[in-house]
Amino acid sequence: MSELHAGNFDQTKQWISFNEGKGTVAPNPTSYAIHVLTGDSFLYEIQGGFPEGNLDNFVSAPVVYPSSEYWETLLNGDRQRPYVDISISEYNTLRIPSAISDYDLYVDKGRFYEDVVVDGVLTAGSINIDGGVDMSPDGDITTDGDIECNDIAANEITANVLHNAVAKTRIPIISTTTDKTLIDADTGSVIHCSPTDGNIDITLPNDLKSGFVVTITNLLPGKTTTLPSTLKARGNVLSEPYSAATIYFDGTDWYGYGDLV
């Protein structure tokens, strides 16, 4: 067994310091040599610079970077590159690229094999969903721009205006046996009127949204369906079985056309 010898350790020349940050500027290879740290080389053997700033958490200048495409070619404009600076000698600091800074993640591309949960707001320049993957949001989708697609399947779609759209949908059918006042949710419906008594009166409010439209059908012989006399139409009564009229509102007046007498 060989004899143990006392070691000589000069603490005055030993430093250890960590610092982190992020930047958008690539290292300039003309300012210093780009070093590749191999297994048989040491940080203190590389010519670095002099400590600057607070020596309790110093970074020497210039900083030594490991050679990698991450620093040399992948900054691409204003992309943020987090890093960790480690200083273990008085005159050298090694800047190591990282993926996370202050709990913020900076990446160019990503692939997730399982679920991703976002508790905050997801902001994206664009989102493409392909590969036959379905999107099933529990809440609302709101956009100030356009949504373009080949097909939409939905139980209910509420739209203020449809421009140049082909809407393939089922029309709601509402049945009534007594007087009825139209409400905004009735728009786009067919109203089947089967009077229990001799007549059903339909009330047309003036506080509904412009563009409201319904089709009213009188189903029973010997019974009538009557709309207000203020309706701008050739008549205001459906008096025959299966007589029908389309009624619409322009925000000011009600209009109708069909089998009205």
Side-chain angles (χ1 to χ4, degrees):
M1 182 176 180
S2 61
E3 183 179 355
L4 296 176
H5 298 278
N8 181 17
F9 183 76
D10 185 358
Q11 285 187 309
T12 62
K13 296 296 183 182
Q14 300 300 315
W15 300 77
I16 182 166
S17 177
F18 295 92
N19 185 46
E20 65 90 28
K22 58 182 182 290
T24 60
V25 180
N28 184 358
T30 64
S31 299
Y32 49 82
I34 298 291
H35 300 281
V36 178
L37 298 181
T38 61
D40 57 355
S41 64
F42 300 93
L43 184 61
Y44 69 83
E45 296 177 332
I46 300 173
Q47 180 61 41
F50 297 96
E52 60 183 17
N54 184 358
L55 294 186
D56 292 334
N57 192 26
F58 73 89
V59 176
S60 62
V63 173
V64 177
Y65 291 81
S67 179
S68 72
E69 288 190 3
Y70 185 92
W71 291 110
E72 295 169 25
T73 63
L74 294 182
L75 278 168
N76 290 345
D78 60 354
R79 294 185 181 181
Q80 297 287 334
R81 296 300 181 192
Y83 56 78
V84 174
D85 290 332
I86 178 172
S87 303
I88 60 173
S89 69
E90 184 176 2
Y91 303 118
N92 286 289
T93 297
L94 178 65
R95 180 156 290 177
I96 303 171
S98 64
I100 298 178
S101 173
D102 293 330
Y103 298 99
D104 292 330
L105 178 64
Y106 301 84
V107 297
D108 295 320
K109 296 180 180 179
R111 181 183 296 273
F112 299 93
Y113 292 100
E114 298 190 25
D115 297 341
V116 176
V117 177
V118 179
D119 290 331
V121 177
L122 177 62
T123 302
S126 62
I127 298 177
N128 295 322
I129 301 175
D130 56 16
V133 178
D134 295 332
M135 181 174 64
S136 301
D138 293 331
D140 298 333
I141 297 178
T142 303
T143 177
D144 293 329
D146 298 331
I147 297 178
E148 296 183 5
C149 62
N150 295 325
D151 185 70
I152 294 177
N155 293 327
E156 181 178 345
I157 295 177
T158 300
N160 294 326
V161 180
L162 291 176
H163 287 299
N164 301 322
V166 176
K168 298 184 295 183
T169 183
R170 292 179 174 85
I171 297 175
I173 298 175
I174 300 171
S175 297
T176 183
T177 59
T178 59
D179 295 346
K180 177 174 176 59
T181 298
L182 298 183
I183 61 175
D184 202 58
D186 294 334
T187 188
S189 302
V190 170
I191 300 177
H192 280 178
C193 296
S194 302
T196 300
D197 297 326
N199 178 74
I200 284 179
D201 285 324
I202 303 294
T203 301
L204 307 178
N206 287 323
D207 58 353
L208 300 185
K209 295 179 181 178
S210 177
F212 179 100
V213 60
V214 294
T215 296
I216 299 174
T217 304
N218 185 65
L219 296 183
L220 300 181
K223 304 294 180 73
T224 58
T225 298
T226 304
L227 291 98
S229 59
T230 54
L231 177 69
K232 295 183 181 298
R234 296 179 63 181
N236 67 314
V237 178
L238 297 173
S239 59
E240 300 293 332
Y242 311 117
S243 57
T246 297
I247 310 299
Y248 63 93
F249 184 55
D250 69 354
T252 302
D253 295 308
W254 286 91
Y255 298 83
Y257 58 89
D259 301 324
L260 292 163
V261 294

